[in-house]
Amino acid sequence: MTGPLRKHWIPRGTTGITEFYSLGTAAYLDYCCSENPIQDYIKGSPKANRPLKQALGAMYERVRAGIEAEIGEPVTLTDRFALPGFHIFLGQAIDRASGAPVHFDQQYQYLPWRRTLDGVPPISFTMPIMLPKAGGGLDNWNVTPDDVTRMVRLGMEPNLDRVKETKFKSFHPYKLGTLSLHSGLLLHRLGRVPKIRDDDERITLQGHGVRINGTWILHW
């Protein structure tokens, strides 16, 4: 992700310092959390996609074909929204990220798809390009959006950070170059690992998929 693509890294963060970067736009940042989502995501994604397609076209085809083989249904890359892109965490930003809020990958619900989604659970995927010396992975808890809806109906406060403390946590380790596929609808966050070093790098390909008319569309 260095070399000619380094100039396309987008600084991210909310504390006044660069906590991490992305390579490519992302709906959860540039659409859901933007004051100008049309400019930042809808119009910004084609520009951000171009260097990714040029430099990494063969990788995208391998990822697309691999997911298609795994789920047994047609898979295509988006031609309208952000391509799957990269999270880039450097040094101690990796440890800070492991303390970020837990979440579900539900941003797909807010994007202006031109056709109705098929009504099946989405997919999310990660492929690590570089990992800290101590490894990396995904923390998740057996909590779903339906559980949160049920809590609201019962008049309970759906504080996810409190809810997760009552559930068993699983850690799923990543392997360099190996795609990890899940629904995105189990409560999760970047997995915590011990002894992050200042020279560590955590670079992962990130993406999601929704199904429309029987075909999965990969995006970020």
Side-chain angles (χ1 to χ4, degrees), residues 79-99:
D79 59 1
R80 185 165 176 238
F81 299 139
L83 285 171
F86 297 85
H87 272 156
I88 301 165
F89 296 92
L90 305 178
Q92 296 307 315
I94 302 167
D95 188 60
R96 290 194 294 272
S98 67

Side-chain angles (χ1 to χ4, degrees), residues 150-168:
R150 191 176 306 111
M151 292 174 66
V152 172
R153 288 174 179 167
L154 293 173
M156 301 169 63
E157 174 66 32
N159 183 310
L160 293 179
D161 280 314
R162 284 208 297 266
V163 170
K164 72 178 177 58
E165 298 304 328
T166 69
K167 302 292 183 177
F168 178 76

Side-chain angles (χ1 to χ4, degrees), residues 63-73 75:
V63 168
R64 185 208 63 77
I67 293 175
E68 186 172 84
E70 179 66 25
I71 64 181
E73 295 180 328
V75 174

Side-chain angles (χ1 to χ4, degrees), residues 11-168:
R12 304 291 189 173
T14 58
T15 63
I17 62 172
T18 299
E19 295 172 333
F20 69 104
Y21 301 83
S22 74
L23 177 55
T25 54
Y28 84 97
L29 292 167
D30 299 306
Y31 192 86
C32 297
C33 294
S34 171
E35 295 181 358
N36 192 351
I38 301 301
Q39 186 65 36
D40 292 344
Y41 186 77
I42 302 299
K43 293 183 178 180
S45 290
K47 179 180 178 181
N49 288 344
R50 281 194 289 272
L52 295 175
K53 287 180 179 179
Q54 291 171 0
L56 303 171
M59 182 211 68
Y60 280 114
E61 173 54 24
R62 289 195 298 271
V63 168
R64 185 208 63 77
I67 293 175
E68 186 172 84
E70 179 66 25
I71 64 181
E73 295 180 328
V75 174
T76 188
L77 290 160
T78 183
D79 59 1
R80 185 165 176 238
F81 299 139
L83 285 171
F86 297 85
H87 272 156
I88 301 165
F89 296 92
L90 305 178
Q92 296 307 315
I94 302 167
D95 188 60
R96 290 194 294 272
S98 67
V102 293
H103 61 278
F104 306 111
D105 293 337
Q106 293 181 293
Q107 54 269 39
Y108 71 95
Q109 295 179 342
Y110 305 102
L111 294 178
W113 301 100
R114 289 173 174 161
R115 298 184 179 182
T116 302
L117 305 186
D118 284 354
V120 298
I123 59 173
S124 291
F125 57 91
T126 298
M127 185 173 73
I129 308 300
M130 298 189 71
L131 289 172
K133 307 299 185 298
L138 185 75
D139 287 337
N140 67 23
W141 293 261
N142 188 24
V143 180
T144 69
D146 287 342
D147 295 326
V148 175
T149 299
R150 191 176 306 111
M151 292 174 66
V152 172
R153 288 174 179 167
L154 293 173
M156 301 169 63
E157 174 66 32
N159 183 310
L160 293 179
D161 280 314
R162 284 208 297 266
V163 170
K164 72 178 177 58
E165 298 304 328
T166 69
K167 302 292 183 177
F168 178 76

